[in-house]
């Protein structure tokens, strides 16, 4: 049963010493219901956000988020053109805890905010560039994960191989992914600090400006394309173009020329991740859903042959040659890591693109 905003207000009083709370209201979320949340108002007019995880997965996510927020020190935050939540206190409730943060004004963005003139596209692009421009020591000093380009390529290859082992992915997609994964030029990039779980709802916006960024539980050094693949879900390619243009202009270094190709690959592999989640959980409805998205994606890429994922402009391997290569490649077991509703939502939008 969801906890009321009055209950959450009482928890905030316990979590933050001296908090003189005079009002509260529910805090809605644009994502699946993983937290009970509320906004509380202090007599001073200041506002806090209170969040209580509703299951163990959400609790683990919140714990990772708190670790990342501690890594993003006051000095680091001065480098960013938006606000990041500050943890103000905690209070136990049952077998979990309520966490209180300062409240950042703004509404969660949607894909509708990625558009032309007057949209938040430029501000979103600048916000992502600012994250990627942080020194990698921010992550390494906090003991958070740091991945090399070769490690990231290997991880993507393993995901594709596991999806292939399920026998449920169209051969055309396996061919497309294999060409990209074996293309060394695609993986010659400099890892950067990445949020790791960005989507449109990560950005709190007012009018056309990003006021804050939420959800730092996957903070790491990794592929900058991980923070941009969700743009493949934009209704129009020119909308994503605007974000990429603002991003590249704001970077302190030349942008990676293959960034968009890897972003597209990650977007497509997100459907494979959703499929494997269904296979691992033996959920036939998820499997059927993922298979439908994969079939739609196959049709999309067949109708868009001018935009391959690989960078090689020389001789292209024939489909039968790639299939033979796949047959020679040992495939790992079918175990996979569970993914949540956000991955499914991203995958669904990609399949429909």
């Amino acid at each position: 049963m969801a906890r009321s905003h009055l209950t959450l207000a009482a928890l905030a009083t316990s979590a933050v010493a001296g908090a003189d709370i005079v009002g509260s209201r529910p805090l809605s979320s644009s994502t699946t219901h993983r937290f009970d949340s509320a906004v509380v108002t202090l007599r001073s007019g200041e506002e806090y956000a209170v969040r209580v995880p509703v299951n163990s997965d959400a609790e683990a996510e919140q714990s990772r988020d708190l670790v990342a927020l501690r890594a993003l020190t006051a000095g680091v935050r001065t480098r960013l053109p938006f606000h990041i939540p500050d943890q103000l206190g905690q209070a136990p409730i049952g077998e979990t805890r309520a966490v209180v943060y300062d409240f950042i004004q703004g509404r969660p963005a949607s894909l509708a905010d990625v558009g032309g003139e007057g949209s938040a596209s430029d501000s979103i692009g600048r916000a992502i560039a600012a994250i990627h421009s942080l020194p990698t020591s921010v992550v390494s000093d906090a003991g958070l994960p740091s991945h090399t380009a070769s490690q990231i390529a290997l991880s993507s290859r393993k995901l594709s191989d596991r999806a292939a082992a399920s026998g449920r992915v169209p051969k055309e997609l396996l061919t497309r992914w294999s060409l990209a994964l074996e293309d060394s030029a695609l993986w010659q990039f400099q890892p950067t600090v990445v949020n790791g779980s960005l989507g449109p709802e990560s950005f709190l916006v007012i009018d056309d400006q990003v006021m804050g960024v939420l959800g730092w539980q996957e903070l790491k050094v990794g592929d900058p394309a991980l923070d941009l693949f969700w743009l493949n879900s934009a209704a129009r390619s020119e909308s994503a173009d605007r974000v990429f243009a603002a991003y590249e202009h704001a970077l302190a270094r030349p942008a990676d020329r293959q960034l968009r190709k890897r972003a597209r690959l990650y977007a497509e592999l997100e459907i494979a991740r959703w499929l494997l989640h269904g296979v691992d959980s033996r959920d036939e409805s998820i499997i059927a859903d993922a298979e439908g998205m994969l079939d739609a994606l196959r049709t999309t890429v067949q109708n868009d042959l001018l935009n391959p994922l690989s960078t090689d402009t020389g001789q292209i391997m024939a489909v039968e040659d790639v299939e033979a290569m796949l047959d020679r490649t040992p495939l790992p077991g079918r175990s996979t890591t569970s993914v949540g509703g956000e991955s499914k939502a991203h995958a669904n939008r990609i399949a429909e693109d």
Side-chain angles (χ1 to χ4, degrees), residues 93-105:
I93 175 170
E95 296 182 355
T96 186
R97 63 186 171 182
V99 178
V100 181
Y101 310 83
D102 60 331
F103 178 67
I104 301 173
Q105 297 291 335

Side-chain angles (χ1 to χ4, degrees), residues 265-305:
L265 174 63
Y266 292 143
E268 294 180 13
L269 289 177
E270 200 68 13
I271 307 177
R273 195 184 305 277
W274 181 238
L275 170 69
L276 291 172
H277 173 51
V279 170
D280 283 350
S281 60
R282 298 180 181 179
D283 188 322
E284 291 298 328
S285 64
I286 293 178
I287 292 173
D289 185 44
E291 287 182 324
M293 288 190 284
L294 288 168
D295 189 58
L297 177 60
R298 173 176 57 181
T299 300
T300 298
V301 300
Q302 284 178 328
N303 293 333
D304 192 22
L305 297 178

Side-chain angles (χ1 to χ4, degrees), residues 17-72:
D20 185 7
I21 295 173
V22 297
S24 64
R25 66 181 187 274
L27 176 60
S28 60
S29 172
S30 62
T31 60
T32 54
H33 182 72
R34 293 171 294 126
F35 296 89
D36 292 331
S37 54
V39 177
V40 298
T41 304
L42 280 65
R43 192 172 301 278
S44 64
E46 191 177 2
E47 292 186 316
Y48 297 161
V50 189
R51 303 176 80 205
V52 178
V54 300
N55 55 44
S56 59
D57 288 341
E59 185 174 18
E61 176 187 310
Q62 186 180 67
S63 295
R64 296 195 306 274
D65 187 63
L66 292 174
V67 171
L69 293 180
R70 285 194 290 271
L72 298 169

Side-chain angles (χ1 to χ4, degrees), residues 136-160:
T136 56
S137 59
V138 169
V139 168
S140 58
D141 289 353
L144 293 169
S146 293
H147 302 299
T148 65
S150 60
Q151 288 172 333
I152 294 165
L154 178 60
S155 176
S156 297
R157 190 174 297 114
K158 287 180 178 179
L159 173 59
S160 177

